Structure formats: structure tokens, C-alpha cells
Amino acid sequence: MREKDWRKRREELRQYMGGSMSVKPKNAPKSKELFLFRLYVTVILTGGLLLVSLFHSETAENLTQQVKDTIAYEMPLEKIQAAGERLTVFLQEKDMALPALKDDAYGPETEGP
């Protein structure tokens, strides 16, 4: 087929398709669906990591440390500390005290009942 014939067929095809030759994927996810999927995956991974970190084993400690190292590599220390301070202030305002945030959580002076 000569180039002239090829161009003529291409123009006919373009007119038949409505002027657009671009290929549009039929199953392209919309941005909202992609956001919800990413949110779902993040929640599942975070929940799994939280569950693993509750058990004190060597594997759990290694996994937790690896995630901490990865986060530290991606984010500057100042940003992490600022987020931690904001979380601490928020929890103190809401009267939610986590055991790790209490002042006497690791103190040697623990009195029994």
C-alpha cells in the first residue's frame, strides 16, 4: 500500500471515529477511586504494622525498626518531631493518655495497690 493510500485510509478512519485517533482506555480508574484504593491499602498496612508491633518478638522488633528507618529516610527528623508534638498536644487536650506518653510510665517508683 502506498503512502497516499495509507494516509487516505487513516483520514477516513479518523472521520469515522469522530476526529480522534487517540486510544482511550475503557477501564481507566477515576481519581476518586484511586484515592480510595490508596487509602484502603494504607489503612490495611498501618493496621497490620500496628498489630505486629503489639507483639514483642524479634521479628516484630526488626520489622518495626525497618519501617522506622524507612520513614526516617523519607522524612526529616524535624518534621517527625513536629508531628509528634502536635499529636501529644492533641491527646493532652482530649484527655487521652497513652502509656508511652505518661511521665511515670518508666519510672522506678511504681507503687502497688
Side-chain angles (χ1 to χ4, degrees), residues 25-41:
K26 295 179 181 180
N27 296 332
K30 296 180 182 177
S31 61
K32 184 178 180 181
E33 293 173 354
L34 183 60
F35 171 74
L36 291 176
F37 174 73
R38 287 181 176 176
L39 180 65
Y40 171 75
V41 170

Side-chain angles (χ1 to χ4, degrees), residues 17-28:
M17 292 181 68
S20 175
M21 284 286 292
S22 64
V23 177
K24 297 178 184 175
K26 295 179 181 180
N27 296 332

Side-chain angles (χ1 to χ4, degrees), residues 66-77 80:
Q66 185 178 6
V67 170
K68 286 180 182 179
D69 292 342
T70 303
I71 291 172
Y73 180 76
E74 295 291 327
M75 295 177 66
L77 182 60
I80 295 171

